[in-house]
Amino acid sequence: MNNDFTFAIIKPNAVKNKKTGPILAMINDAGFRICAMKMILLTKQQAQAFYRVHSGRPFYDGLIEFMTSGPVVAMILSRENALEEFRRLIGETDPSKAESGTIRKIFASSVQMNAIHGSDSQENAIKEAAFFFSEFERFYPVEE
Ligand code: DAT
Ligand code: MG
């Protein structure tokens, strides 16, 4: 079995609106296993580092302000084809374009406050997971 993994963040609007539980249930129901998880309040510097690729974009400052506005829940998730399957589960960046039944369609309140992050490549998933979790904080996926 391909024990692929991805990295995810439940964003401040969803945590604030008490949607952590419902979102975790959708993630588990979609066949993902949680390998690491923690709730943290990002510093401005951490949020800027995480979204460095977007620095200079018109939405960057607003994005950093939003991502530091309250606690987030960071996770490492595994399942077969985790990256693709997770991006499918969360839906398009802009919730108005997201398919019905996706996490963003259900829980996003705008493009900025779109409820959840999912890595866009295995290379970025590795980097993002290492940015948030040490080796001691993660459990490698077990064979099903
Ligand atoms: P995604 O999170 O779907 O990978 P992205 O990497 O292009 O999307 O952008 C990162 C985040 O930045 C996105 O989740 C929300 C915010 N964002 C992107 N485009 C935006 C826009 N046009 N207006 C406001 N926020 C935006
Ligand atoms: Mg992205």
Side-chain angles (χ1 to χ4, degrees):
M1 181 185 147
N2 177 13
N3 273 326
D4 210 349
F5 76 90
T6 191
F7 173 80
I9 300 177
I10 302 177
K11 296 187 179 183
N13 65 311
V15 174
K16 227 168 251 164
N17 296 335
K18 304 185 185 129
K19 300 305 178 195
T20 302
I23 290 172
L24 289 176
M26 285 180 72
I27 290 170
N28 279 148
D29 288 348
F32 292 89
R33 191 173 278 285
I34 298 168
C35 300
M37 180 162 69
K38 65 181 160 193
M39 181 181 273
I40 37 169
L41 181 59
L42 291 173
T43 64
K44 192 174 171 182
Q45 201 178 24
Q46 288 166 333
Q48 284 172 333
F50 184 73
Y51 279 121
R52 189 164 286 140
V53 291
H54 295 303
S55 68
R57 304 278 286 276
F59 59 82
Y60 183 70
D61 289 348
L63 176 64
I64 300 308
E65 198 168 320
F66 165 59
M67 288 301 289
T68 56
S69 67
V72 298
V73 176
M75 290 170 280
I76 298 172
L77 302 170
S78 78
R79 68 155 275 176
E80 210 167 351
N81 299 321
L83 277 150
E84 271 171 47
E85 292 299 329
F86 195 69
R87 289 296 301 209
R88 194 154 60 153
L89 177 66
I90 71 178
E92 294 276 322
T93 307
D94 179 349
S96 69
K97 295 183 188 141
E99 272 189 53
S100 64
T102 60
I103 293 175
R104 282 171 167 170
K105 188 67 171 188
I106 299 168
F107 300 111
S109 32
S110 65
V111 182
Q112 182 191 73
M113 298 185 187
N114 63 4
I116 192 149
H117 166 83
S119 303
D120 62 7
S121 66
Q122 193 69 74
E123 187 193 353
N124 282 336
I126 291 166
K127 280 190 203 158
E128 292 171 1
F131 185 70
F132 278 83
F133 296 100
S134 76
E135 286 291 313
F136 292 107
E137 294 173 304
R138 60 184 291 179
F139 297 85
Y140 286 89
V142 289
E143 290 290 332
E144 301 279 344

